Amino acid sequence: MTKTVADKTEKPTVNDIARVAGVSLATVDRVLNARPGVRRVTIDRVNAAIRELGYVRDTAAANLARRRIYNLLFILPETNNEFVTALEAEIAAQSERLSIERTRLSTVKAPAFDPQELVRIIDTVDPAEFDGIAIFGPETPSVRDAARKVKEKGVAVVSLVSDLPSTSRDHFVGIDNVQAGKTAAQLIGRFAARDAGQILVITGSRLARDHLERRHGFDEVMAEEFPSFEVLPSLEGRDDPDLLLDLLPAVFEKNHRICGIYSSAAGNGGLVQFLRAQGLDQKVIVVGHELTPLSRDALTAGVFDAIISQDTGHLVRSAVRLLRATADDAPFNPTQERIRIDIYLKENMPPARRIE
């Protein structure tokens, strides 16, 4: 019996594709790299041979041969938020490490919760300069349209930390924020020993989908499992510690039974300062977001009771992998890109990690 290519244990090569399709190696190379000058019928024949052989292209080797460099842009909110600062530091660190993989990372800042400026930045992205962008910003119709337009130019798009599901983004990189809110509700409900008190929820902005999703998950669990608590309307702190410090006294003066706080956003410096000044730092249950130097100190001192967090290194690595895979139209591992929800108490905090 004649042995066919399909019987071989070796991986099929471009030579096999050329032989099965009945074309030259140069033609196979043009099809694989989407270069012009090949008839539609020939392209179809080459693609049929690829499917028949089960050929999987080594994009890393191909990019090295072509001396391709991936240029990826991270659009971050302009804020003093410690989490964003840590994310930016991680991007810079990863950029140095990824230089050997022919990948360059850069960042640009848009004013926090300012969709118009975010749209302006997205609109200026040049497909000749960038292969992909990661967007960390609010979800509005104008942002949705800007994401669609930049994708139509051939730029890969992922949403980072806060999803943009109504846009045509390729992937979302971040924790499941609804599940994060549910987790916070379980922690506060159990830590507060079912006292029939009031729970304050601090949010950054009602434009931020991650904050809205966290509130949705929080309310769902509180209503179903801890109905004796009164959950107050969200306090919008705009991730600004000074603004939060100004707003909190009136909230506590009006509501005398606050026994728990879910801080789903940043600006925790103002919250910590207020609780300490009022002597409430050991009396009110507080669950916050993101393990930063500030929240670490608050957790150690007992001002915070728990922190829900996501790993900035994983966020950046996942965004890079997904943007490169999208740019190459290559497969990816969904399990590897799933961002885990971490829960920290003062007893299980990991050592502070220095980014070099």
Side-chain angles (χ1 to χ4, degrees), residues 9 47 53 86 102 125 130 142 145 166 176 182 190 233 240 262 296 310-312:
T9 58
N47 286 330
L53 294 165
R102 310 188 67 79
V125 172
F130 293 106
S142 59
D145 291 342
S166 65
D176 183 324
K182 290 182 176 182
R190 294 174 186 277
D240 183 337
Y262 174 34
R296 216 179 239 285
Q310 53 194 318
D311 184 83
T312 53

Side-chain angles (χ1 to χ4, degrees), residues 181-192 218 221-222 225-226:
K182 290 182 176 182
T183 301
Q186 286 286 355
L187 291 168
I188 286 183
R190 294 174 186 277
F191 286 169
F218 187 83
V221 169
M222 293 302 297
E225 301 195 30
F226 306 101

Side-chain angles (χ1 to χ4, degrees), residues 302-334:
V303 181
F304 282 13
D305 296 273
I307 294 292
I308 296 169
S309 194
Q310 53 194 318
D311 184 83
T312 53
H314 192 179
L315 287 168
V316 175
R317 290 190 298 273
S318 182
V320 168
R321 285 191 295 262
L322 289 171
L323 286 171
R324 292 193 307 197
T326 301
D328 288 335
D329 194 23
F332 65 95
N333 183 350

Side-chain angles (χ1 to χ4, degrees), residues 54 202 213 295:
I202 299 173
E213 289 179 340
S295 64

Side-chain angles (χ1 to χ4, degrees), residues 22 40 45 186 225 230 237 243 265 297 299 342 344 348 352:
R40 180 75 259 172
R45 199 159 70 240
Q186 286 286 355
E225 301 195 30
E230 177 191 356
L243 174 61
D297 290 344
L299 202 55
D342 294 320
Y344 294 112
N348 74 331

